[in-house]
Amino acid sequence: MKPEMNDVSEKSAEVETQHTKLLILGSGPAGLSAALYAARAELTPIVLTGIDLGGQVALTYMVENYPGFPEGVGGAELGELFQKQAERFGAKVVFDNAQSVDLSKRPFKVVADNGTYAADALIVATGARPNHLEVPGENELIGRGISYCATCDGAFFKDRQVNVVGGGDSALEEGLFLTRYASSVTVIHRRDSLRAGAILQERALNNPKMKFMWNTVITDVIGKEKTEAVKIKNIKTGEEAVSPTEGVFIFIGHTPNTQMFEGQLRMENGYIQVDNRMRTNIPGVFAAGEAADSHFRQVITSAGMGAAASIEATHFLQDEAG
Ligand code: NAP
């Protein structure tokens, strides 16, 4: 009797499992560019959006370095355009979030919040998420003065003083965006020179609303119902102080969203290792964008990696079909 029971459960599992030639995890520039190329190759790919539709770029106010938009383009708008273009050729974008994967055999199995998928080939484009300072008070006050997205939360800080943490492109770009609302924006940076590109540095340093606090770190976020102040420390002099503020925007880098692939895909520092054809260590599994790129991390490079992964996945499936 037992084999029959197994047969039945396998059959019902088959009914629930959606089979696709190509499954793409993530709807940022890498995932949707992969979807565009795969759709044009008539693979009718399924894209699981993940929690953040459009990925990190959709939370960016303005993108000025994606070619084809001489006046810049809103991050959310760019995400929508990517999606529309992929869907026009038959990509299916599904609002679902993958929770676990089994890459031990094909078809690869992906269990998501709303369904299970079986895929002949897989493109991982799960992106990255913002790092936290990991100081007392930070987690408790997220959404109540602590933010990782100026585009999302900037408008709540009209005529207020806010702090930005970090010295990279994100910190300056988001800090400049915040000057639209805030009365002043203080960039708190742990060193005495910025990592950001020259144009952003020039704009930020010349903006009358922007101030800089060098060689300084936040050691505590203080507040009960909302953020009221930060404890700061000058790491050169050791001097400590409490600085009142209602908003702290943190831009200190990212961590790739790759935990579910641990032990299955080869990784380095959490980033999926790919060769120059976006192939992972498992044939049929490709990776693109910030899940696999700790270096460039640009919209255009992620989009390019997505396209490349898709071309490779198409060849992989074609070769197999003979
Ligand atoms: P990033 O370049 O890695 O900069 C992170 C910043 O946070 C650095 O200044 C770093 O300080 C600081 N930091 C790191 N950990 C810290 C900690 N625990 N406490 C305090 N400070 C800390 O990250 P990003 O600015 O997000 O940029 C990531 C990539 O995206 C880059 O390649 C960037 O070019 C790109 N990007 C480009 C644009 C654009 O071109 N418009 C916009 C946004 C992002 P140190 O400098 O001392 O290391």
Side-chain angles (χ1 to χ4, degrees):
M1 290 306 288
K2 217 175 171 202
E4 268 181 39
M5 281 172 73
N6 277 346
D7 284 346
V8 171
S9 68
E10 266 172 33
K11 258 197 187 139
S12 65
E14 263 171 37
V15 172
E16 286 165 18
T17 299
Q18 198 170 342
H19 180 265
T20 178
K21 282 184 208 148
L22 178 64
L23 186 68
I24 298 167
L25 302 182
S27 57
L32 291 175
S33 300
L36 170 65
Y37 273 69
R40 286 175 57 81
E42 299 191 328
L43 291 175
T44 326
I46 295 178
V47 180
L48 303 190
T49 56
I51 296 170
D52 299 315
L53 174 64
Q56 292 179 86
V57 69
L59 301 174
T60 305
Y61 172 68
M62 184 59 71
V63 179
E64 288 185 330
N65 53 8
Y66 192 77
F69 297 91
E71 305 305 323
V73 58
E77 187 189 349
L78 186 60
E80 279 166 27
L81 290 170
F82 282 156
Q83 182 178 340
K84 246 190 210 162
Q85 196 171 353
E87 285 176 333
R88 182 178 150 217
F89 294 102
K92 290 185 182 150
V93 178
V94 180
F95 293 90
D96 207 348
N97 189 35
Q99 293 294 352
S100 66
V101 293
D102 180 357
L103 308 180
S104 62
K105 58 180 189 304
R106 296 180 61 227
F108 305 119
K109 191 176 163 195
V110 174
V111 179
D113 289 340
N114 301 322
T116 302
Y117 299 84
D120 297 336
L122 182 71
I123 296 178
V124 179
T126 46
R129 62 183 182 284
N131 289 343
H132 289 196
L133 285 173
E134 292 176 14
V135 297
E138 181 187 17
N139 281 346
E140 293 79 354
L141 291 166
I142 291 174
R144 289 182 288 156
I146 298 293
S147 172
Y148 306 86
C149 176
T151 315
C152 317
D153 300 325
F156 297 119
F157 295 87
K158 201 161 168 31
D159 300 325
R160 313 278 165 84
Q161 188 281 332
V162 298
N163 294 326
V164 161
V165 185
D169 283 327
S170 298
L172 295 198
E173 199 163 79
E174 305 283 319
L176 283 163
F177 175 76
L178 286 168
T179 60
R180 295 164 173 262
Y181 306 104
S183 54
S184 80
V185 176
T186 303
V187 177
I188 299 179
H189 183 36
R190 65 182 178 181
R191 290 190 296 130
D192 61 1
S193 64
L194 297 165
R195 179 182 291 279
I199 293 177
L200 278 173
Q201 284 203 34
E202 197 187 313
R203 275 191 209 159
L205 292 165
N206 291 326
N207 188 306
K209 278 192 174 182
M210 288 191 76
K211 299 181 174 66
F212 290 82
M213 217 180 251
W214 305 108
N215 302 313
T216 303
V217 294
I218 290 177
T219 55
D220 262 293
V221 182
I222 301 163
K224 284 209 170 79
E225 292 305 311
K226 58 189 179 83
T227 302
E228 291 160 21
V230 286
K231 208 181 215 181
I232 50 174
K233 182 176 180 178
N234 183 307
I235 55 171
K236 284 256 160 87
T237 63
E239 198 182 323
E240 291 188 289
V242 170
S243 172
T245 186
E246 290 179 54
V248 184
F249 288 79
I250 299 161
F251 305 105
I252 59 165
H254 294 85
T255 300
N257 296 318
T258 55
Q259 290 84 337
M260 77 178 116
F261 308 102
E262 268 168 24
Q264 302 190 66
L265 293 182
R266 197 174 297 140
M267 298 196 207
E268 193 179 339
N269 297 326
Y271 290 89
I272 296 168
Q273 285 196 310
V274 289
D275 65 9
N276 60 2
R277 289 163 62 181
M278 305 304 128
R279 296 180 293 197
T280 68
N281 56 305
I282 297 183
V285 181
F286 305 83
E290 292 195 21
D293 169 29
S294 62
H295 188 67
F296 294 112
R297 311 184 62 246
Q298 305 292 306
V299 178
I300 187 170
T301 49
S302 290
M305 287 174 82
S310 200
I311 291 168
E312 284 301 319
T314 306
H315 287 161
F316 174 83
L317 292 168
Q318 273 168 355
D319 288 350
E320 203 175 46

